[in-house]
Amino acid sequence: MDKIDFKKIHPELYRPSAKDFALIDVPAMQFVMVDGLGNPNRAPSYARAIEWLFSVSYAMKFAARASLKTDYVVPPLEGLWWADDPADFAARRKERWRWTMMVMAPDFLTRAMFKAAVEKTEKKRGAPPESLRIEEYAEGRAFQILHIGGYDDEGPTLARLHDDVMPSQGFTFSGKHHEIYLSDAQNRAIETEDDSPAARSPFLRRR
C-alpha cells in the first residue's frame, strides 16, 4: 500500500525557506500532546513525554495500517514553548519554560484508536503522563522560517522576527512559540518497524 507523507503533502508547513520569514495560514490539525515544565535538557518529564508521544503515535499508525488499510509516515515532533514571564524565555532561563510537545495525528485516526494505543503502551511503559491527550490545535496565521543550527542559536532569528518583521507589517503576538523538529540530536528507543522518528532541527513558527 502507498504510504502517506504529510511533509510532502504540506510543503508550506514542513519545508519552509531558510532565507526569509513567510506569512502562512496554518490549518486546524489533530495532535497527540503532553504538557510540561522545565529545562528540556534536564527534566525527566520531557524525555518521558517524547517516549510516550512516539510510542502512542506508532501504535496508532500500525492500527491504521491493519484496520483501515492506510499507511503513513509518522509526522515529526513539534513543540509549543512559553514562559509565565516572557523575559525568562528571551533570557533562556529554561528551568522556567513551559512546553507542550506534540505529534500530528491524521484526521482519520479516531479517539477510540488513541485510547487503544494508550492502553497498549501502558503495558510496556506503565502509567501515561497525566496530560497525555489527543485534540485539535488551530494555530491560524503565523510567520515561519527554517532555522539551521543549534537550539541556543535561535536568538538572532527571533530578534529579527520580534523587532523587525512583525512590527514592520503591523503584527503582534497572539500565540505561543512553535517549533517543528526536522532532525534529531536525541536518541529515542522506539519500536518503529520500518520507520524511524523524524530527525530534529528546529524551524520556527510564531503567530
Side-chain angles (χ1 to χ4, degrees):
M1 69 182 69
D2 293 335
K3 185 180 297 186
I4 303 168
D5 188 342
F6 294 98
K7 295 190 298 297
K8 295 179 180 179
I9 294 174
H10 294 291
E12 74 282 7
L13 301 180
Y14 294 104
R15 295 183 179 180
S17 169
K19 294 182 179 180
D20 206 354
F21 286 94
L23 185 61
I24 63 170
D25 288 306
V26 185
M29 293 182 285
Q30 180 175 243
F31 289 88
V32 181
M33 297 178 162
V34 176
D35 302 324
L37 169 68
N39 187 332
N41 297 317
R42 299 176 182 174
S45 59
Y46 181 85
R48 182 167 175 253
I50 305 309
E51 290 176 349
W52 268 91
L53 286 172
F54 278 104
S55 293
V56 169
S57 294
Y58 275 92
M60 290 194 296
K61 163 197 165 68
F62 300 143
R65 190 163 66 183
S67 63
L68 304 178
K69 307 304 179 186
T70 301
D71 198 8
Y72 65 96
V73 178
V74 171
L77 180 69
E78 308 191 27
L80 304 177
W81 299 89
W82 72 102
D84 294 335
D85 180 352
D88 289 332
F89 193 82
R92 314 295 291 180
R93 290 190 280 267
K94 299 180 183 180
E95 69 280 359
R96 301 180 185 178
W97 287 4
R98 296 186 181 275
W99 41 263
T100 296
M101 305 312 296
M102 56 194 194
V103 175
M104 194 271 277
D107 57 13
F108 52 76
L109 299 178
T110 66
R111 291 185 178 275
M113 295 172 74
F114 170 73
K115 181 179 178 181
V118 172
E119 291 173 350
K120 180 178 180 180
T121 304
E122 279 185 294
K123 296 177 181 178
K124 298 179 180 180
R125 300 193 178 276
E130 184 176 346
S131 61
L132 178 69
R133 64 196 183 279
I134 188 168
E135 65 179 38
E136 183 179 87
Y137 180 61
E139 186 166 19
R141 182 162 289 188
F143 282 104
Q144 73 174 14
I145 193 170
L146 177 68
H147 169 75
I148 301 173
Y151 301 114
D152 288 333
D153 296 331
E154 295 172 6
T157 302
L158 290 174
R160 182 159 64 98
L161 173 63
H162 298 173
D163 302 333
D164 181 15
V165 176
M166 293 175 65
S168 69
Q169 299 190 41
F171 287 97
T172 188
F173 298 110
S174 65
K176 297 166 182 172
H177 178 67
H178 185 170
E179 296 183 348
I180 301 176
Y181 305 101
L182 304 178
S183 66
D184 192 284
Q186 300 183 17
N187 294 320
R188 289 192 294 267
I190 306 296
E191 297 179 8
T192 62
E193 292 189 3
D194 59 338
D195 289 296
S196 59
R200 303 184 35 183
S201 163
F203 77 70
L204 313 176
R205 180 186 292 153
R206 179 65 80 111
R207 288 184 66 189

